[in-house]
Amino acid sequence: RRTIPRLDCAEKAGYTEEEVEEFRVLFQKANSGAGAIGADEIIEVFRHFRVALKQHRDYIKILLEDFSPRQYWFGPADPAVQFPEFLLVLKAMQDAKIVG
């Protein structure tokens, strides 16, 4: 499990302030009020942009497990991340060429 201070997530991912704000909008669209999102919410957000991620669900869950503190999980096998960790998950998805 990776341990990265929350304030460093945007910097570690290498995003500009403008990109962070764009990603915050995506996160907020997916967030149902729980303050965290899981694999299904990430897949749904990208579906609106015509990016099919359903086939990558297992990989996305692994990324969420890597970056998510346990207290944000929706259940024992349902990891979720808050916004700072979402940036790291998104960066890992870009690095894996799952999203552009």
Side-chain angles (χ1 to χ4, degrees):
R1 179 171 305 261
R2 299 176 179 126
T3 305
I4 298 174
R6 295 177 64 112
L7 296 176
D8 292 338
C9 290
E11 186 177 316
K12 293 278 185 195
Y15 294 130
T16 66
E17 280 186 42
E18 185 176 282
E19 289 172 319
V20 169
E21 287 311 310
E22 289 174 15
F23 297 143
R24 187 179 312 278
V25 170
L26 287 177
F27 181 86
Q28 289 172 341
K29 284 182 181 185
N31 182 6
S32 63
I37 62 173
D40 291 336
E41 291 84 6
I42 290 172
I43 290 168
E44 184 64 23
V45 163
F46 282 96
R47 188 179 69 78
H48 290 292
F49 297 101
R50 300 192 190 284
V51 177
L53 294 179
K54 201 167 196 168
Q55 70 272 20
H56 299 291
R57 187 176 193 282
D58 290 340
Y59 179 69
I60 294 169
K61 284 184 79 168
I62 290 168
L63 290 176
L64 293 174
E65 288 172 5
D66 280 352
F67 292 111
S68 174
R70 280 238 184 243
Q71 69 262 28
Y72 304 136
W73 287 34
F74 295 141
D78 197 7
V81 291
Q82 290 191 326
F83 181 71
E85 295 83 17
F86 172 69
L87 295 173
L88 298 174
V89 169
L90 186 55
K91 177 64 174 160
M93 290 170 60
Q94 289 173 327
D95 290 349
K97 309 255 189 275
I98 292 175
V99 296

